[in-house]
Amino acid sequence: MPYQVSLIPGDGIGPEVAQATVRAVEATGVRIEWECIELNSKALEAAGGEIPQHVLDSLDRTHVGLKGPVTTPIAGGHQSVNVQLRKRLDLFANFRPVRSFPGIRTRYSDVHIDIVMFRENTEDLYAGLEHEVVKDVVTSLKVITRVASLRIARYAFEYARREKRRKIHAIHKANIMKLSDGLFLRCCREVARDYPEIEYKEMIVDNAAMQLVMRPEIFDALLMPNLYGDIVSDLVAGLVGGLGIVPGANFGERHAVFEAVHGSAPDIAGKGVANPTALMQSAALMLSHIGEGEAAHRLQSSIEWVYAEGRHLTPDVGGSATTAEFTDAVIRKVTKS
Ligand code: NAI
């Protein structure tokens, strides 16, 4: 029986990187029946800004999604699809592994970076509870709950135990937000006590931003509430070459959605030069999640091989290959390995 996966190509470069990724996954030999869903800005507009029910129905059937970027209107318009999806499916854990990549020159080329990030995905300032008190005075509610904080902390520590990670830093601003970030920290401490083999540390978010830039090698795993997680995870992606190459995943109790963390890149959409690495690596995480560990490893190491060889890289990472040329190179390696 083939696996079933809901495929959401999305907007802008989304369909280009999704097509490339489907080709690379199929080259591994794993049989997948893709349920292709149109969830982009046009479809959302037509549905009044809400995720259409058939999208949720598809994910309820398959339990696994692979998603490209969807354009989000700024300072108005509908709520982000990502935020909606995470809330509607209770995808509480955002997971981003970031590692130095062979063949990409960065300011940190002489440092080995290997950091996994866990971000609470359903609350904090992303609760979307904003209110205009009187004209020109707006409040935005930061929601932190014990249940959600314990859940993400437990998820991070379980992962660390399973994958033999040494150290977790909880990132916070509890010196200022004593109640909300204070609660988050207390939950992290409570969970940490059950995992004595993992070193538990805490760091204020502004210091963490500086330390990540100056000494990224001291970090192993980061555990963060939603907003800091959003910002810090992009910062860490920047250390290894940017959003075009890092994967992401969102896990709930029943569903998992794997996604490229970059946006729809309207400046290069339709030109055939988008870098599909982020979505391909997300697909490798997906293969591992569905139990196809060998295929996941083969896809991941083939992508890394193409980077190390350096002959078929896309323009954003200093090459001149098209999306299709890069993808062909990955597929040649996947099928030979
Ligand atoms: P962006 O990530 O789309 O683009 C930033 C820069 O990175 C651009 O120069 C773009 O060409 C480049 N870039 C991004 N991905 C690339 C790739 N795979 N290959 C080569 N170059 C790549 O961020 P921006 O411009 O802030 O957002 C554009 C739209 O995307 C917005 O509507 C935003 O809301 C949406 N967005 C959606 C996300 C999602 O659905 N997960 C995440 C981030 C943004």
Side-chain angles (χ1 to χ4, degrees), residues 13 67 69-72 82 260-268 274-275 316:
I13 59 169
K67 180 187 156 298
V70 178
T71 298
T72 308
N82 303 310
V261 295
H262 57 73
S264 51
D267 52 337
I268 56 165
N275 187 348
D316 58 305

Side-chain angles (χ1 to χ4, degrees), residues 113-130:
I113 294 166
D114 180 3
I115 302 173
V116 291
M117 286 170 284
F118 300 90
R119 159 184 166 198
E120 202 292 321
N121 228 358
T122 59
E123 53 182 32
D124 196 348
L125 281 162
Y126 292 65
L129 299 173
E130 293 195 310

Side-chain angles (χ1 to χ4, degrees), residues 318-331:
S320 57
T322 62
T323 309
E325 286 162 350
F326 171 82
T327 307
D328 290 342
V330 171
I331 289 173

